Amino acid sequence: MYMMLSVILFIIGAVGVMARRNTIILFMCIELMLNAVNLLLVAFSRLHEDSSGQVFVFFIMAVAAAEVAVGLAILSMIYRNVKNIDTDHLGNLKN
Amino acid sequence: MLGYTITQWLFGILAFMAIMFGLMVVFSRNPVNSVLYLVLTFFCIAGHYLLLNAQFLAVVHIAVYAGAIMVLFLFVIMLMNLNQDSEPQRTMISKVIAGVIGGLLLLVVVGALRGSEQLAITRYGHSEIGLVRNLGRVLFDEYLFPFEIVSVLLLAALVGAIMIGKKEDRPLAESNQE
């Protein structure tokens, strides 16, 4: 059951990454995918009565926080220069 | 109640709400609405953590995601003035392609997972692996080195975010104005 729920949440995130153009919403869909994986890790940690899965979830949370901080900083810098954060406008990194 | 235990009812309701709110994140036009639906999704996932006897993780999840990360998202959206439907939409064909790819991925993964080891949600019971005492023991015994590495990672991300986010130096700004 939890496996199916995690897969469905992950695929919602993946479809969001493919279907949307706003970069912030892309970031949010990545968060959704990370959380689907977290849920699966916790479910397996419960299944095997092993705390290691929950420790991995801590690490994933830390990495996600770092990713969001750096990503949003990059995004706000891009917005300051280009005034636009649609993925179609960000094709060329060289200004 | 129809042969289901209360845990199964809770699981079903929480799973339905998580999936619905997840869909609303993708489909709502306004980015602010997306953020708020994502917060609701995170609350549903925290409820799942509680059902799985991971109490401490549920609290940390709400504090970190709903409390910190989503506030950061909201802050950036407000800063960029994106709180209206200003996003130019993708064409219909690419949305359809994205949906088809997602459906095929779902089909493949479900087919691959069928018959694998499943966590029966009736098998709940008392479990202490989610308590702070046991988690801390595992974290600081077996995973002490990764824990330290994570602290370095967070420091690097902090410094990097500040370096990227601060106002750029004069030459770059001048080259942008040209």
Side-chain angles (χ1 to χ4, degrees), chain A residues 3-4 10 20 26 31-32 40 42-43 46 49 52 58 62 71 74 95:
Chain A
M3 219 182 265
M4 289 303 141
F10 188 89
R20 295 299 297 261
L26 255 59
E31 292 298 311
L32 196 59
L40 193 62
V42 174
R46 178 76 180 84
E49 289 290 320
S52 300
F58 278 126
I74 290 175
N95 199 3

Side-chain angles (χ1 to χ4, degrees), chain B residues 71-160:
Chain B
V71 171
L72 203 61
F73 272 110
L74 211 55
F75 193 67
V76 170
I77 287 176
M78 298 292 184
L79 207 67
M80 294 184 186
N81 245 337
L82 290 176
N83 45 0
Q84 62 259 5
D85 310 335
S86 57
E87 179 187 5
Q89 292 297 305
R90 273 196 196 279
T91 55
M92 204 60 215
I93 182 81
S94 70
K95 281 182 183 170
V96 170
I97 289 175
V100 168
I101 291 174
L104 287 177
L105 194 60
L106 181 67
L107 217 70
V108 168
V109 178
V110 168
L113 288 180
R114 207 177 46 173
S116 60
E117 189 179 19
Q118 291 285 338
L119 177 59
I121 54 174
T122 50
R123 238 189 53 187
Y124 291 125
H126 192 59
S127 167
E128 292 197 337
I129 57 165
L131 296 184
V132 184
R133 187 177 37 161
N134 297 321
L135 269 185
R137 196 165 285 149
V138 174
L139 182 63
F140 291 112
D141 277 349
E142 291 179 49
Y143 296 98
L144 184 61
F145 186 62
F147 181 76
E148 302 290 347
I149 296 293
V150 162
S151 71
V152 176
L153 172 75
L154 283 176
L155 180 67
L158 185 74
V159 174

